[in-house]
């Protein structure tokens, strides 16, 4: 069995996320985004590869959308309404609520402002959204009898989710975009420890390691506070969803704590509508917001008021949130024109601005004049503060997640090629997990897990019920290998035998069964066989005070002689082999399965060689051991041979 | 069920027979229990209950009843300590033959309970049940196993058995058992010591393996175990191995901070907070998410690290992650563990401080407070290095909405060392902003400013010079002391010179005068360092003799302020130190005299300023302080100067009196001044040689009598003195008596004085025993030498020397006038009577006089007498019954008709009437005419003259 992952978009690039995964015979499309950088057919994923015959409904079992950003959901109406996919679509409740807003906004910009050809209509969006099945976090959805999916919290934006999909024993997680560091208004990604064959993760910041988010917050707050304290106006151009709420919450908290009363304004429009959604979606926000919600809705910003166009030139300090984020037009541009010429004012810029926007011009160097068009020129004297809040996880976050989930394979998507390659190397070397970074339209195939069900025998179940642990001193299996110089010291280890004792038997066509090891001979209808080795050799002893021979015939004397020999042997051996447990059973000495006894028969079949003092007084040691302890046995025997067991000791 | 009483033997026998004969049943367990817990149940009955229960334990048919029976037995043992041994034995015998694990566990529990309650049995547990416990653990029942592991310590199982069992069960498939086993190991590590290194390693490595457990609760327990056993393991090691192992533990714990479970993260940070040692590079790495260079080159950070793959990346930014955590519990835990980590290294502290600063921006108050508390810890171990870049965040907390946060940050500011002027300026401005925004914080802010000023004298002096123009009056002469900023700056500026002498000149003197206007507010704020009086004296000194610089006097006081406040200031030892009198040269004397003149001039000035304050006691306290400082001068023999000073004070007080009349405190102080004047005069006699002393005995006698009278007045005319003040009064009295004794007196007077002295000392003792008031060194001395004084009676010359030596131990103290102080007073008016309108009388017959009497603060205990004196000799006393007067204790008023009997044979005469109160019992009766008061009188009212003229004249 294998899992196939066909990357239709976001392979070694950022944009138009789309991956079709075949798992256990089921085909799932994760995300259906568009690329904002292209206006031609490259804008959409190449859907034809998913179903060459054009029957998408038959080719795919379901579509899963992780969040409402256009590069994850942008192609959906096109795919369902134009390409004709009719199957189920899954997304979280907030995504279902906010995606149409984004799509409609995008369609308007495309069609009404730029006058492009319409890709999909408002009706298409509405029709598409009707097909969507909303899911909740950690809710296991049975798509059909075999395929089940489950959403986990991903941070990033409100409603963003990672999706777990499972068919039979194979399982995978598709992360979408996620954030491992909590925001003010969103929590950190949260997922269970799952047994995964595959993890498909974003890698936007594959090489960046960000320092504390508080530094960014502090700098932002300081800049804003300084500006309003000096009587200036602050313009914060933002996207309507996400950053606007984050920054606003940050400011509102700060205002509250510092008892500031400079007004904060929201420009009317999408932002206010978005705030309304946030108020309803409290369950999807951060822990802090949820806790605060007990007393008040934290999105009912205490210090925030609505802005009126007439207030642009009213005197006194203020803070204004305005859309769009990159000052590409609209209200934020209008305000910018008015406020930019004064050096006491401040304009903050989002972390990323598309080339050609005013935001981009401001970011690249510090221009003093900006030409808006042929006739208009703006004098820019205001201060510029660049924000670097990002809702994506950094390289360390990706590593942390991969480490936590420890999947068998990792596929990187949604990132830039060279950076992905670097991260790929890191995952492979540091975590030892095979990792892939396919380009668009490439297919990656990884093996999947298949479990065999087995029943357990009664004896095995019984033996498993009671604990049965054993201690042993052994050399550690880990950690020492790379340090040859350190002394290898054994330490106490414990193991529970009951788990290890079972034996799997598969008999003909019957189902597999786990039995207790004692049952095995019975089960096989065979006697228990043991391979035993034996070796009889003369003991070396220099008699310091030779006793008269007549003693030798005495049986009693003889046994005491044997005993003392064994005692001497025991004593010597325990000095030599401190790590082994040497037991004394009177008649013989036992080390693991090795028995050492004084040979009592003259015609021992295992005897090798004659005693140096052959004849009277010669003593032979007879050893026997099981195959498993062969090495140990020879080691001991060779040691015994060198010993001088002079009598009496 | 009625508890059977011991008397009704019949009824108590009933249940007895029933319990012994009928097998135990569910329904009668409750009644058995009520019998057991009733203390009046006869012991015989209890014994039979015990028999019945134990029989049931052995042969009871109903296994369901075993558990209640066990419970009842353990309860019985606890109620009847006499039976605990029997119960113990019985349950133990049963225990070893039980077939159900649950019953066995319960009986073990019962045994443990019995043993816990009976000390004699507790030792009998030791090691007795080891094998039983172990075999029970191996039973199939998971719940029993878990319970046993959780309670293992109660059964007296020997540690080496326990550790094996615990270690074994960390392999259990049930998470709850694994958790219990790990927790057992943690507890064991605390209670027992382990010698076998191999064993310790075994436990440690096993716990390491469990750090990767699937269950969060097991991971939590594993973290605790790794932390505790890791430290035990470290203790076995030496040198580099020890270092490496410490690092290994640190790294292991750091690798857990990215766990998905909040509980695990909290546990991990808690454990990090217990770090004992760790290498600096690891510490620093935990502050940076990026892998540092030092960590890169040395990949094999630690060798014996165990199963979890370790690298610098697991340490990288561990603490940063904690600070960024979504849950405040985690952030709080990080802030807390930073305290320990910051103690390890100062270099680390420098890096950590900016992270901690960011936590002041946290939305959770708990976290902000925790972070501040950590900074406070850092400040106390001098690891808090503030930079200008931190100050925005740091001082931002000063205007935090939460007052606890503001208080916490001010607490830090008190301790922190600011390294340059810029920091000081920022801090002070921050504090002023705090004061402006939250005026309710004033007390604390002033105190902080004072502390800051003391710690950073140099910077403050420069700073104050910069901003001095703000304090100065505006061109139109307005002082803006009510403005928060100016007030704060004043506080700061007066604090500065206390630090180093060289600053003194740099602070403009006027500041001190200005600061006096804020005396009340400032002294309230800095009450922990100095008393108001000391501060007042300091301000007065500061503003006047700055050129002299306030070297000895000021410095002395201020050094005390810095050290341990007013307490040490008050001790007379210090006072003596200020004036090295012994061989004072004339130059010295002059200087001291001048010093004491200056404050007087100053105090007149300040007295005017003080009129702003309506609280009179404040100024009185100021005077007390100054007066106290006068004493060494008295001792040194500057009697005239001292009398001058005292007179000035007296005048000062009188000016006050015009402002507020009827202040008991003021009256008291005036009286005290008078006393002191007498005391100073008397003392001067003893200062010179004995010969001189002899010459002026008669004068001295008068003075002594006056002194005694003023003292008596103080004692009798004022009520509501605090116990300390009472004691001080007694001390003064005994001083006066001692002085009296030392003027070479023999005979009856001497004996009377001795008796009175003894009586005073007795009172002191009462005060000491009943109220725990500590007497002064003088009184102690006196007490010790009382027998000597007795025996020395009559030995003419040695005595005075001996007494004088004792008197040296005496010094003035300060009255802490309480609010309850009241002035006993009375007033008599005679309506329609003056020299023009005399009362008519007939010679030889009694004459009635109508008196309007007003009594203030007189209570029942006071015995009042109306004294009528004609001429010099003839006195008549009338006892005033208080019942005759209406009104409350505070104010009684009434008309009283007094009768004067001894009308003289004269055309006219005047009678002086006044009201006196009998003194307290220790004042020995000094020979009054019979019919009058038994003790000396203290006069409460001014004398009033009543005029009489003979009736006969008119008739004729």
């Amino acid at each position: 069995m294998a899992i196939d992952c066909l990357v239709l978009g976001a392979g070694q690039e950022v944009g138009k996320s789309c991956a079709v995964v075949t798992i256990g015979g089921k085909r799932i499309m994760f995300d259906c985004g568009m690329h904002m950088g292209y206006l031609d057919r490259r804008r959409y994923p190449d859907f034809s590869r998913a179903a060459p015959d054009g029957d998408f409904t038959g080719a795919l079992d379901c579509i899963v959308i992780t969040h409402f950003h256009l590069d994850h959901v942008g192609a959906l109406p096109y795919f369902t309404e134009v390409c004709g996919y009719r199957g189920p679509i899954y997304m979280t409740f907030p995504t279902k609520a906010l995606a149409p807003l984004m799509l409609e906004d995008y369609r308007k910009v495309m069609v009404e402002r730029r006058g492009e050809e319409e890709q999909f209509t408002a009706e298409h969006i509405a029709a598409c959204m009707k097909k969507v099945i909303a899911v909740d976090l950690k809710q296991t959805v049975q798509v059909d009898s075999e395929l089940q999916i489950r959403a986990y919290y991903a941070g990033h934006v409100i409603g963003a989710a990672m999706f777990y999909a499972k068919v039979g024993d194979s399982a995978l997680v598709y992360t979408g975009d996620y954030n491992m560091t909590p925001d003010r208004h969103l929590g950190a990604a949260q997922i269970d420890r799952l047994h995964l064959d595959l993890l498909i993760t974003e890698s936007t910041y594959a090489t960046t390691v960000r320092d504390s988010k508080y530094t960014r917050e502090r700098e932002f707050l300081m800049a804003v506070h300084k500006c309003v304290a000096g009587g200036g106006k602050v313009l914060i151009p933002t996207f309507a969803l996400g950053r606007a709420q984050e920054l606003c919450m940050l400011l509102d908290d700060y205002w509250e704590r510092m008892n500031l009363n400079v007004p904060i304004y929201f420009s009317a429009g999408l932002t206010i509508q978005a705030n309304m959604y946030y108020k309803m979606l409290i369950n999807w926000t951060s822990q802090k917001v949820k806790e605060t919600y007990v007393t008040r809705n934290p999105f009912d910003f205490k210090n925030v008021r609505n802005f009126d166009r007439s207030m642009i030139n009213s005197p006194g300090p203020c803070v204004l949130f305005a859309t769009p984020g990159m000052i590409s037009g609209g209200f934020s541009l209008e305000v910018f024109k008015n406020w930019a010429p004064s050096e006491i004012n401040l304009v903050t810029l989002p972390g990323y601005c598309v080339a050609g926007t005013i935001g981009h011009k401001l970011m690249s160097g510090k221009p003093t004049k900006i030409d808006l068009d042929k006739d208009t020129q703006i004098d820019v004297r205001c201060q510029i503060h660049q924000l670097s809040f990002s809702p994506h996880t950094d390289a360390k976050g990706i590593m942390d997640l991969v480490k936590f989930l420890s999947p068998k394979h990792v596929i990187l998507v949604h990132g830039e090629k060279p950076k992905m390659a670097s991260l790929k190397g890191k995952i492979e070397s540091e975590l030892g997990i095979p990792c892939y970074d396919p380009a668009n339209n490439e297919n990656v195939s990884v093996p999947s897990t298949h479990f065999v069900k087995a029943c357990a025998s009664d004896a095995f179940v019984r033996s498993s019920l009671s604990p049965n642990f054993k201690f042993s001193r052994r050399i550690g299996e880990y950690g020492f290998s790379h340090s040859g110089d350190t002394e290898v010291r054994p330490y106490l280890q414990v193991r529970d035998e009951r788990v290890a004792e079972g034996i799997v038997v598969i008999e003909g066509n019957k189902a597999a069964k786990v039995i207790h090891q004692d049952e095995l001979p019975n089960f096989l209808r065979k006697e228990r066989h043991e391979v035993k080795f034996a070796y009889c050799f003369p003991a070396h002893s220099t008699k310091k005070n030779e006793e008269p021979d007549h003693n030798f015939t005495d049986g009693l004397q003889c046994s005491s002689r044997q005993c003392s020999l064994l005692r001497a042997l025991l004593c010597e051996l325990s000095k030599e082999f401190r790590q082994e447990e040497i037991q004394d059973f009177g008649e013989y000495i036992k080390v693991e399965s090795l028995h050492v006894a004084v040979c009592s028969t003259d015609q021992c079949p295992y005897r090798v060689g004659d005693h140096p003092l052959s004849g009277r007084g010669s003593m032979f040691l007879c050893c026997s051991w099981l195959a498993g302890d062969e090495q140990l046995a020879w080691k001991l025997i060779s040691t015994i041979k060198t010993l001088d067991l002079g009598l009496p000791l | 069920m009625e508890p059977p009483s011991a008397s009704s033997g019949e009824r108590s026998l009933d249940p007895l027979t029933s319990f012994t004969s009928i097998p135990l049943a569910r329904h009668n367990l409750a009644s058995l229990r009520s019998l057991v817990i009733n203390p009046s149940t006869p012991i015989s009955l209890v014994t039979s209950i015990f028999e019945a229960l134990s029989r049931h334990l052995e042969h009871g048919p109903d296994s369901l009843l075993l558990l209640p029976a066990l419970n009842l037995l353990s309860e019985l043992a606890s109620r009847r300590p006499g039976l605990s041994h029997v119960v113990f034995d019985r349950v133990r015998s049963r225990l070893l033959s039980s077939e159900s694990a649950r019953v066995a566990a319960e009986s073990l529990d019962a045994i443990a309970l019995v043993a816990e309650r009976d000390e004699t049995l507790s030792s009998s547990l030791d090691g007795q049940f080891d094998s039983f416990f172990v075999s029970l653990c191996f039973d199939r029942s998971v719940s029993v196993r878990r319970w046993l592991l959780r309670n293992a310590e109660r059964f007296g199982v020997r540690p080496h058995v326990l550790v094996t069992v615990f270690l074994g069960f960390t392999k259990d498939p049930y998470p709850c058992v694994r958790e219990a086993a790990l927790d057992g190991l943690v507890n064991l590590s605390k209670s027992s010591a382990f010698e076998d290194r191999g064993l310790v390693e075994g436990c440690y490595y096993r716990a390491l393996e469990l750090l990767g457990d699937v269950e969060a609760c097991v991971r939590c327990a594993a973290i605790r175990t790794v932390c505790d056993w890791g430290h035990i393991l470290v203790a076995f090691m030496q040198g580099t191995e020890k270092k490496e192992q410490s690092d290994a533990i640190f790294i292991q714990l750091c690798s857990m901070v990215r766990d998905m479970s909040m509980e695990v993260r909290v546990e991990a940070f808690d454990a990090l907070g217990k770090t004992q040692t760790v290498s600096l590079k690891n510490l620093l790495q935990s502050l940076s998410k990026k892998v540092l260079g030092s960590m890169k080159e040395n990949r094999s950070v630690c060798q014996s690290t165990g199963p979890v793959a370790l690298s610098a990346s697991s340490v990288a930014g561990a603490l940063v992650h904690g600070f960024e955590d979504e849950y405040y519990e985690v952030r709080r835990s990080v802030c807390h563990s930073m305290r320990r980590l910051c103690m390890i290294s100062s270099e680390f502290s420098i890096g950590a401080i900016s992270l901690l600063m960011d936590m002041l921006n946290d939305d959770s108050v708990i976290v902000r407070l925790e972070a501040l508390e950590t900074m406070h810890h850092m400040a106390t171990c001098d690891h808090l290095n503030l930079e200008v870049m931190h100050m925005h965040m740091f001082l931002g907390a000063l205007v935090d909405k939460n007052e606890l946060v503001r208080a916490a940050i001010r607490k830090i500011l008190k301790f922190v060392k600011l390294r340059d002027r810029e920091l000081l300026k920022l801090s002070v401005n921050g504090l002023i902003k705090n004061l402006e925004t939250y005026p309710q914080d004033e007390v604390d802010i002033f105190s902080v400013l004072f502390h800051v000023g003391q710690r950073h004298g140099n910077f403050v002096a420069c700073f104050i010079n910069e901003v001095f123009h703000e304090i100065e009056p505006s061109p139109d002469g307005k002082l803006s002391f009510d403005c928060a900023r100016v007030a704060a700056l004043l506080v700061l500026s007066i604090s500065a010179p206390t630090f180093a002498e060289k600053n003194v000149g740099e602070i403009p003197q006027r500041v001190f005068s200005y600061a006096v206007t804020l005396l009340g507010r400032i002294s309230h704020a800095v009450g922990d360092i100095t008393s108001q009086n000391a501060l007042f004296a300091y301000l007065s000194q500061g503003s006047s003799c700055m050129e002299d610089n306030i070297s000895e006097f000021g410095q002395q006081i201020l050094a005390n302020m810095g050290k341990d406040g007013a307490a040490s200031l008050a001790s007379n030892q210090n006072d003596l130190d200020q004036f090295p009198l012994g061989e004072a040269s004339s130059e010295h004397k002059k200087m001291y005299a001048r010093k004491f003149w200056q404050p007087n001039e100053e105090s007149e000035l300040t007295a005017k300023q003080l009129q702003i304050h309506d609280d009179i006691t404040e100024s009185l306290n100021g005077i007390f302080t100054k007066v106290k400082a006068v004493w060494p001068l008295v001792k040194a023999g500057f009697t005239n100067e001292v009398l001058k000073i005292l007179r000035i004070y007296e005048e000062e007080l009188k000016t006050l009196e015009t402002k507020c009349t009827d202040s008991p405190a003021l009256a008291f102080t005036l009286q005290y001044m008078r006393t002191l004047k007498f005391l100073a005069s008397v003392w001067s006699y003893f200062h010179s040689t004995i010969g001189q002393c002899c010459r002026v005995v008669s004068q001295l006698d008068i003075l002594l009598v006056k002194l005694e009278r003023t003292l008596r007045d103080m004692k009798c005319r004022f009520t509501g003195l605090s116990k300390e003040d009472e004691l001080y009064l007694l001390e003064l009295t005994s001083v006066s008596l001692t002085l009296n004794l030392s003027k070479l007196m023999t005979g009856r007077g001497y004996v009377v004085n001795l008796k009175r002295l003894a009586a005073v000392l007795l009172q002191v003792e009462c005060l000491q025993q009943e109220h725990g008031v500590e007497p002064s060194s003088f009184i102690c001395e006196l007490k010790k030498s009382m027998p000597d004084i007795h025996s020395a009676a009559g030995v003419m010359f040695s005595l005075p020397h001996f007494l004088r030596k004792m008197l040296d131990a005496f010094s003035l103290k300060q009255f802490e006038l309480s609010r309850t102080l009241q002035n006993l007073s009375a007033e008599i008016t005679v309506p329609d009577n003056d020299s023009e309108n005399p009362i008519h009388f007939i010679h030889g017959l009694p004459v009635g006089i109508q008196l309007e009497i007003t009594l203030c603060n007189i209570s029942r205990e006071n015995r009042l007498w109306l004294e009528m004196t004609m001429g010099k000799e003839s006195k008549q006393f009338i006892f005033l019954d208080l019942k005759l007067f209406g009104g409350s204790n505070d104010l009684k008023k009434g008309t009283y008709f007094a009768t004067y009997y001894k009308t003289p044979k004269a055309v006219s005469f005047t009678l002086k009437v006044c009201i006196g109160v009998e003194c307290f019992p220790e004042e020995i009766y000094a020979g009054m005419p019979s019919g009058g008061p038994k003790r000396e009188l203290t006069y409460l009212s001014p004398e009033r003259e009543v005029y009489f003229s003979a009736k006969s004249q008119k008739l004729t």
Side-chain angles (χ1 to χ4, degrees), chain A residues 153 162 179-184 186-193 195 207-219 221-223 225-226 249-250 253-260 285-288 290-292 302 393-394 396-401 403-405 426 430-431 461-471 473 478-480 482-483 485-486 489-496 498-499, chain B residues 137-140 145 163-174 196-199 201-203 205-206 209 211-214 219 237 241 244 255-256 258-261 288-291 299-300 302-309 311 313-318 320-321 323-329 331 354-355 357-363 368 389-390 392-393 395-397 399-402 433 437-438:
Chain A
Y153 194 75
M162 309 196 237
N179 193 0
M180 294 290 280
T181 339
D183 281 346
R184 290 255 162 182
L186 293 174
Q190 225 266 326
I191 195 163
D192 296 332
R193 235 170 235 249
H195 290 284
T207 51
T208 318
V209 176
R210 262 187 245 118
D211 54 355
S212 162
K213 65 171 180 181
Y214 293 114
T215 321
R216 308 191 286 273
E217 287 189 4
R218 183 181 59 210
E219 281 163 4
L221 288 176
M222 259 178 88
H225 191 172
K226 217 168 142 189
M249 189 166 279
L250 186 62
D253 264 358
Y254 188 77
W255 251 235
E256 180 75 17
R257 211 148 26 80
M258 295 292 177
N259 253 334
L260 297 176
T285 54
S286 71
Q287 194 60 29
K288 178 238 161 182
K290 280 185 255 182
E291 275 160 16
T292 322
K302 277 189 188 168
T393 182
D394 62 353
K396 188 163 187 323
I398 299 172
M399 291 297 284
D400 284 335
L401 184 78
K403 192 168 149 192
F404 180 77
L405 288 173
K426 216 171 149 195
E430 275 187 31
L431 304 174
V461 171
R462 240 177 291 122
S463 82
S464 297
L465 282 176
S466 293
N468 179 21
F469 47 79
K470 286 189 175 145
F471 296 97
R473 275 184 184 278
Y478 32 71
F480 300 100
H482 61 280
S483 55
D485 54 331
T486 51
R489 195 187 304 106
Y491 67 89
L492 194 67
Q493 270 200 324
V494 60
R495 58 181 196 273
D496 199 339
R498 63 183 144 154
V499 187
Chain B
C137 282
F138 279 89
D139 195 86
R140 281 176 198 174
R145 199 183 305 155
V163 77
T164 333
V165 172
F166 285 144
L167 182 57
F169 280 110
T170 56
K171 272 284 185 184
D172 202 276
Y174 293 92
D196 180 10
R197 176 170 168 172
L199 182 73
E201 278 178 342
C203 293
Y205 287 121
R206 179 66 197 131
E209 283 168 36
L211 285 181
D213 200 277
V214 185
R219 294 202 295 271
M237 297 175 168
E241 194 189 17
E244 278 176 6
S255 72
M256 295 307 289
R258 287 297 268 164
D259 201 278
M260 285 283 175
S261 157
S288 160
K289 284 189 191 174
K290 296 186 179 80
V291 176
R299 277 263 159 175
S300 54
C302 45
Q303 262 123 37
S304 49
T305 47
V308 183
S311 60
S313 64
S314 42
V315 186
V320 183
H321 284 304
F323 281 120
E324 285 183 337
D325 204 277
E326 187 177 350
Y327 290 84
Y328 81 88
E329 292 94 334
R331 299 195 299 268
S354 25
L355 284 177
M357 284 297 169
D358 285 332
M359 293 323 282
L360 299 181
N361 202 15
D362 199 275
D363 43 61
R368 294 207 294 271
M389 57 177 274
H390 298 141
H392 175 79
M393 220 61 191
L395 298 173
V399 284
D400 199 286
K401 208 169 188 189
N402 189 298
K433 200 169 167 210
T437 330
Y438 303 96

Side-chain angles (χ1 to χ4, degrees), chain B residues 17-273:
Chain B
T17 45
S18 68
F19 296 141
T20 44
S21 55
I22 305 168
L24 208 59
R26 188 163 285 266
H27 60 266
N28 58 18
L29 274 172
S31 39
L32 280 183
R33 183 170 182 275
S34 62
L35 278 176
V36 166
I37 61 174
N38 189 343
S40 56
T41 310
I43 188 71
S44 58
L45 188 52
V46 175
T47 320
S48 65
I49 291 172
F50 163 69
E51 287 301 334
L53 285 173
S54 53
R55 205 171 323 119
H56 182 83
L57 271 193
E58 272 150 46
H59 323 286
D62 189 356
S63 61
L64 279 177
L65 280 182
L66 276 174
L67 298 185
L70 275 170
N71 284 340
L72 204 50
L73 272 176
S74 72
E75 184 151 11
L76 191 144
S78 74
R79 303 273 171 180
R80 308 281 167 160
L83 285 176
S84 56
H85 281 266
V86 207
V87 173
F88 186 81
D89 291 340
R90 198 61 62 90
V91 179
R92 184 169 56 179
S93 65
R94 156 75 195 171
L95 158 92
L96 303 170
S97 63
S98 65
E99 54 293 315
S100 149
R102 183 157 163 72
V103 173
E106 288 285 348
S107 44
L108 200 55
D109 182 34
I111 283 188
L113 271 179
V114 172
E116 276 158 21
R117 286 173 190 154
D118 190 340
E119 283 165 15
T120 54
L121 282 172
S122 53
S123 60
S124 60
L125 272 182
D126 287 342
Q128 273 229 3
F129 302 103
D130 286 6
S131 54
F132 182 69
F133 171 79
V134 173
S135 68
L136 215 49
C137 282
F138 279 89
D139 195 86
R140 281 176 198 174
S141 163
V142 179
S143 61
V144 167
R145 199 183 305 155
R146 177 164 181 262
W147 183 85
L148 283 168
L149 291 178
R150 282 246 172 267
N151 291 278
E153 298 199 327
R154 291 173 53 206
F155 311 130
V157 184
R158 277 166 297 183
H160 68 268
V161 179
L162 268 186
V163 77
T164 333
V165 172
F166 285 144
L167 182 57
F169 280 110
T170 56
K171 272 284 185 184
D172 202 276
Y174 293 92
C176 62
V177 177
R178 290 201 295 271
E179 188 195 0
L182 284 169
D183 281 341
L185 280 177
V186 172
N187 289 334
L188 206 58
S189 74
K190 283 171 187 142
S191 56
S192 331
F194 293 96
E195 301 294 326
D196 180 10
R197 176 170 168 172
L199 182 73
V200 175
E201 278 178 342
C203 293
Y204 171 71
Y205 287 121
R206 179 66 197 131
L208 278 195
E209 283 168 36
L210 286 177
L211 285 181
D213 200 277
V214 185
E215 289 294 321
C217 64
V218 182
R219 294 202 295 271
C220 281
I223 288 173
R224 291 191 287 268
T225 318
V226 165
C227 178
D228 285 9
W229 284 82
H231 288 145
I232 299 178
L233 188 56
V234 168
F236 279 107
M237 297 175 168
Q238 293 299 329
T240 48
E241 194 189 17
K242 191 171 189 141
K243 261 190 189 162
E244 278 176 6
Q245 182 59 33
S246 305
D247 280 357
I249 298 171
F250 186 78
I251 293 168
Q252 292 290 1
L253 294 174
C254 280
S255 72
M256 295 307 289
V257 303
R258 287 297 268 164
D259 201 278
M260 285 283 175
S261 157
M262 183 263 282
E263 286 81 13
V264 175
R265 295 199 296 266
V266 171
E267 200 68 57
F269 283 115
D270 284 348
L272 279 175

Side-chain angles (χ1 to χ4, degrees), chain B residues 740-761:
Chain B
N740 220 335
L741 281 178
S742 39
K743 56 163 205 193
L744 296 179
M745 204 167 71
T746 50
R748 188 169 169 270
Y750 184 82
V751 177
V752 169
N753 264 338
L754 260 185
K755 273 188 188 167
R756 288 173 63 187
L757 193 56
V760 171
L761 286 179

Side-chain angles (χ1 to χ4, degrees), chain A residues 16-36:
Chain A
K16 62 165 176 181
S17 286
C18 187
V20 177
V21 179
T22 313
I23 173 171
K26 300 283 168 188
R27 293 190 93 198
I28 312 163
M29 177 186 279
F30 286 104
D31 281 340
C32 189
M34 63 162 59
H35 202 295
M36 308 296 282

